[in-house]
């Protein structure tokens, strides 16, 4: 990368599927100093349709063509995780800024390879663990830093949901294909929460877990449990089950003088309970949920800010995930 300060960054997107329609794509277009100039999808007709609907001038069906387009300064990889390493290393080789959807890769080893490729060239690498940037979770961090619940002792998260009609039908879903995501929905969903816990409470330094397939509906794991220890001595436990009768998404942080309760995915209030009473606080997500994350990238690249989710932090989350799944 050149040493002079950038004033505008032109993005290309590899994999313009569902996540880019509302969650992420419009966030890049709404962020001052960012512009989406090209998109790529293997289906040329769908790529052209996406470009037309979103007012983007270029579209490709070949990733290499987008990566090597001289008008593309940065690449957002929004494909399934099994292709993140392939495309990520190509972007690093091209010397371009990159943001990769979470998880960074399906394994710690692949995540480490991506991170090291960008670090070796000193090229910015971001990961779309956007909860680190959302106002709702920043409020929780403020409470923790203000000692609103005293000394933090423990965190527990339980996430469960029933098997979906697609799960029961046997129709293909890459999210439950062990070749793409060994942990199944755990890879897709639990990665968000575990990454957030590293951000809120400090890095997890020790972790163990069990993972099994209770339902035999697909090849990925569907039931997992874990316990862990953060650098600062805070303990943690988690359970994730994707074959329960009811949906539940509940996190409780326990302190010496109170608790904080919240959900990772459900748009519920965050609840602070201490000697002063119970304070439920509802903080709405932006229309495009990755907007704050994208704006934080802009702050780092074009101003003087620092994005909270990068290749190093995402690689550590991949290590935690692999330890729980039993890969390492």
């Amino acid at each position: 990368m050149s040493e002079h300060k950038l004033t505008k960054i032109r993005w290309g997107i590899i994999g313009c599927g569902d996540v880019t329609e509302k969650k992420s794509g419009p966030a890049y277009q709404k962020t001052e100093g960012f512009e989406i100039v090209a998109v790529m999808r293997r289906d040329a007709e769908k790529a052209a349709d996406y470009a037309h609907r979103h007012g983007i001038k270029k579209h490709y069906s070949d990733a290499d063509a987008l990566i090597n387009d001289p008008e593309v300064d940065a690449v957002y990889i929004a494909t399934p995780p099994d292709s993140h390493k392939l495309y990520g290393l190509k972007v690093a080789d091209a010397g371009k800024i990159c943001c990769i959807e979470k998880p960074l890769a399906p394994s710690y080893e692949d995540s480490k390879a991506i991170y090291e490729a960008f670090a070796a060239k000193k090229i910015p690498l971001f990961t779309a663990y956007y909860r680190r940037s959302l106002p709702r979770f920043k409020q929780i961090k403020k409470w923790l830093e203000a000692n609103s619940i005293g000394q933090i002792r423990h965190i527990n998260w339980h996430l469960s949901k029933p098997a979906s009609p697609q799960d029961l039908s046997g129709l293909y879903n890459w999210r439950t294909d062990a070749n793409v995501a060994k942990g199944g929905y755990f890879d897709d969903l639990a990665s968000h929460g575990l990454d957030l816990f590293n951000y809120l409470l400090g890095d997890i330094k020790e972790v163990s877990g069990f993972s099994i397939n209770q339902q035999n509906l697909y090849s990925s794991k569907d039931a997992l449990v874990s316990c862990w220890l953060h650098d600062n001595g805070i303990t943690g436990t988690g359970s994730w089950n994707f074959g329960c009768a009811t949906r539940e998404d509940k996190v409780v942080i326990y302190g010496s003088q109170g608790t904080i309760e919240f959900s990772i995915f459900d748009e519920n209030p965050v609840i602070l309970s201490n000697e002063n009473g119970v304070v439920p606080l509802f903080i709405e997500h932006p229309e495009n949920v990755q907007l704050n994350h994208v704006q934080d990238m802009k702050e780092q690249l074009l101003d003087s800010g620092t994005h909270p989710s990068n290749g190093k932090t995402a690689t550590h989350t991949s290590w935690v995930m692999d330890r729980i799944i039993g890969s390492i």
Side-chain angles (χ1 to χ4, degrees):
M1 286 181 62
S2 127
E3 292 295 325
H4 71 275
K5 192 70 175 177
L6 296 169
T7 57
K8 184 177 182 179
I9 295 177
R10 300 167 296 180
W11 286 85
I13 300 178
I14 297 176
C16 46
D18 289 346
V19 71
T20 67
E21 288 287 351
K22 185 175 181 181
K23 286 185 176 181
S24 62
Y28 286 80
Q29 293 176 306
K30 290 179 178 180
T31 297
E32 185 178 354
F34 280 6
E35 179 186 6
I36 301 175
V37 297
V39 294
M40 172 272 166
R41 196 166 181 172
R42 285 178 296 180
D43 186 319
E45 187 175 331
K46 289 183 178 179
D49 174 66
Y50 185 96
H52 174 72
R53 288 185 292 104
H54 291 274
I56 298 165
K57 64 181 180 180
K58 293 185 180 182
H59 51 87
Y60 295 102
S61 58
D62 175 65
D64 290 343
L66 182 143
I67 292 168
N68 295 303
D69 184 334
E71 292 189 359
V72 171
D73 304 311
V75 179
Y76 166 38
I77 299 171
T79 57
D82 61 329
S83 59
H84 288 182
K85 182 182 177 183
L86 170 68
Y87 294 135
L89 295 183
K90 288 185 176 187
V91 175
D93 188 57
K96 297 188 176 182
I97 298 161
C98 191
C99 179
I100 301 179
E101 265 302 328
K102 58 83 212 161
L104 185 54
S107 71
Y108 168 63
E109 287 303 320
D110 283 355
S111 297
K112 187 179 177 183
I114 297 168
Y115 163 61
E116 289 179 345
F118 283 89
K121 289 192 170 186
K122 298 182 179 179
I123 303 167
L125 171 63
F126 305 98
T127 309
Y129 282 117
Y130 56 83
R131 277 167 176 76
R132 289 181 178 230
S133 296
L134 280 170
R136 178 178 300 174
F137 301 111
K138 283 188 172 182
Q139 177 60 55
I140 294 170
K141 193 168 181 65
K142 287 178 183 176
W143 281 337
L144 295 172
E145 290 174 348
N147 295 316
S148 298
I149 59 170
Q151 295 295 309
I152 306 162
R153 303 301 189 201
H154 180 74
I155 183 169
N156 175 258
W157 181 25
H158 176 71
L159 177 69
S160 63
K161 72 179 188 70
S164 71
Q166 185 174 14
D167 297 334
L168 297 169
S169 74
L171 293 173
Y172 181 75
N173 180 356
W174 65 261
R175 289 177 172 83
T176 53
D177 180 349
N179 293 316
V180 179
K182 187 175 180 180
Y185 293 117
F186 174 81
D187 284 3
D188 188 37
L189 301 175
S191 58
H192 268 301
L194 291 166
D195 181 82
L196 180 66
F197 300 160
N198 281 316
Y199 175 62
L200 293 176
L201 304 176
D203 281 348
I204 293 170
K205 69 173 182 178
E206 295 179 28
V207 57
S208 61
F210 296 98
S211 62
I212 60 173
N213 188 313
Q214 293 180 330
Q215 303 174 92
N216 295 313
L217 295 176
Y218 38 73
S219 59
S220 295
K221 307 291 188 179
D222 65 6
L224 304 94
V225 293
S226 176
C227 60
W228 62 84
L229 182 67
H230 291 265
D231 277 335
N232 46 22
I234 299 165
T235 58
T237 50
S239 55
W240 306 268
N241 195 295
F242 304 102
C244 289
T246 57
R247 175 183 170 83
E248 185 176 344
D249 174 16
K250 182 179 179 180
V251 179
V252 182
I253 300 176
Y254 297 88
S256 61
Q257 298 173 26
T259 62
I260 299 172
E261 183 179 322
F262 60 99
S263 298
I264 299 295
F265 301 102
D266 295 343
E267 290 203 56
N268 296 325
V270 293
I271 303 171
L272 171 65
S273 302
N274 58 24
E275 59 183 6
N276 297 318
V278 178
V279 180
L281 188 59
F282 182 78
I283 304 172
E284 192 173 4
H285 289 331
E287 179 186 9
N288 310 110
V289 75
Q290 290 198 20
L291 180 63
N292 299 88
H293 151 72
V294 175
Q295 289 177 340
D296 280 350
M297 284 197 292
K298 176 255 184 184
E299 288 296 318
Q300 176 169 325
L301 295 171
L302 300 181
D303 296 309
S304 56
T306 301
H307 196 286
S309 179
N310 54 48
K312 184 177 181 179
T313 62
T315 297
H316 182 67
T317 296
S318 292
W319 174 80
V320 172
M321 299 282 289
D322 268 17
R323 292 283 298 176
I324 294 171
I325 294 170
S327 300
I328 56 174

